[in-house]
Amino acid sequence: MTSSTAADRDAATRAATQQARPGGPEAPVLAARAPRLALLALALGGFTIGTTEFMTMGLLPEVAAGVGVSIPTAGHLISAYALGVVVGAPLLAVLGARAPRRRLLLWLMGAYAAGNVLSAASMSMEMLTVARFLDGLPHGAYFGVASLVAADLARPGRAGRAVAQVMLGLSVANVLGVPAATWLGQNLGWRAGFVAASVLAVLTVLAIAAVVPVRAGNPDARWRTELTALREPQVLLALLIGAAGFGGMFAVYTYISPIATDVAGLGSGSVPLVILMLGLGMVAGTVLAGRMADWSVPGSLVVGSIGMAAALLLFYAVSPYGWWLAPAAFLVTTLGSVLVVNLQLRLMRVAGEAETLGAAMNHASLNVANALGAWIGGAVISAGLGYRAPALAGVGLSVVGLVVLVAALRADRGARTA
């Protein structure tokens, strides 16, 4: 009896001591929540960027009218943003590789807020083009650094899902942010959409400062070391896969507003709903991509590439038939998101020591696809082939991406065997 009482007393004392210490029973709960909150803050940045990037496509007719140009000419604004991503991703990744990662994320999102303010204040096509270019500069570097932080926070074997959670913010933006911003721009003027995006960027800065843990940069990083990644054949092939394979989606997305109204015969009020379907496809594809990545990154890329070509062909076939457009659009972005997440993971692997540059260059590649898709889509429309033609051009781009992917995987397999 005495022995049992003493043992109980000792156990109670130990429990009380553990609860009093910072490392007591509550600490594992807080530790488990901390990575989730950090991933949520990083995903909010993705939500902000996704809302801004794709909102321009939904408001293309309003923006064109606001600055006094045609819709195909206004499509150059999307190319200008994409060019900013292509320039900014390697430049900022190299310059910021040694910087503490949380601090770098704060500066990048602060610059994104400023770019949106400048876009809202633009009074001409020329000024708006410059503003969109400047706003694109932090895009790729943000996603690259955020992906590295997410992978660092993930449990073993879950890096793919952690990176997918960051990308999920970009996808959810197309479900909530882009339709809301499109509606806002249609009813309060297109400038209101950019003002809303700048507010989201400020909220992201506050969230990252509050919950993302401090993570050191790479103290051994040198700009020459980082740039060596661009000499790696597998890195260059992965970038080419993204530029071609994802270009087809942007050829369709850029002109989704006139496709819905002029080709499908739907009213202008249908555009936010069609964009909602595109966003739902991105969410579904991103969730699917995280699980597929933990199965096989190369296999996921093959499935995504073949599926993208098939989905674009289906989109071309059903686009004149009203609301049949919506499920086809859903499939296009679902397969596109599978490509995005798995290309991100592949670049993080094949870039070797230049991990910051490798992670950032995925979005540079995808925004080459953005510029290429918007340009090709505008070219076939201007040639008199109609707003339906970009989908067929996108099929060709997807096939090119698939051919490059097969060549890259064969070369990689041969190198491993050797």
Side-chain angles (χ1 to χ4, degrees), residues 48-60 62-64 66-67 74 77-78 81 112-124 127-129 131-133 135-136 177-178 180-182 184-186 188-202:
T48 301
I49 291 175
T51 298
T52 305
E53 180 181 13
F54 294 103
M55 170 189 67
T56 309
M57 300 171 187
L59 290 174
L60 204 59
E62 288 77 14
V63 173
V67 294
L77 294 171
I78 296 164
Y81 179 93
Y112 203 76
N116 279 302
V117 170
L118 182 60
S119 297
S122 296
M123 302 303 295
S124 67
M127 185 177 178
L128 187 55
T129 301
R132 299 317 298 142
F133 172 81
D135 204 28
V178 179
T182 301
L184 192 67
Q186 288 177 337
L188 299 180
W190 60 269
R191 300 177 194 279
F194 290 108
V195 172
S198 65
V199 172
L200 285 173
V202 172

Side-chain angles (χ1 to χ4, degrees), residues 37-131:
L37 291 174
L39 289 175
L40 185 60
L42 296 173
L44 179 60
F47 180 87
T48 301
I49 291 175
T51 298
T52 305
E53 180 181 13
F54 294 103
M55 170 189 67
T56 309
M57 300 171 187
L59 290 174
L60 204 59
E62 288 77 14
V63 173
V67 294
V69 298
S70 68
I71 291 177
T73 301
H76 296 162
L77 294 171
I78 296 164
S79 298
Y81 179 93
L83 182 60
V85 181
V86 173
V87 173
L91 179 64
L92 297 179
V94 169
L95 293 177
R98 300 178 67 182
R101 286 174 177 164
R102 184 176 69 174
R103 184 189 304 169
L104 183 56
L105 288 169
L106 293 172
W107 278 105
L108 291 170
M109 193 50 61
Y112 203 76
N116 279 302
V117 170
L118 182 60
S119 297
S122 296
M123 302 303 295
S124 67
M125 177 66 180
E126 292 74 19
M127 185 177 178
L128 187 55
T129 301
V130 172

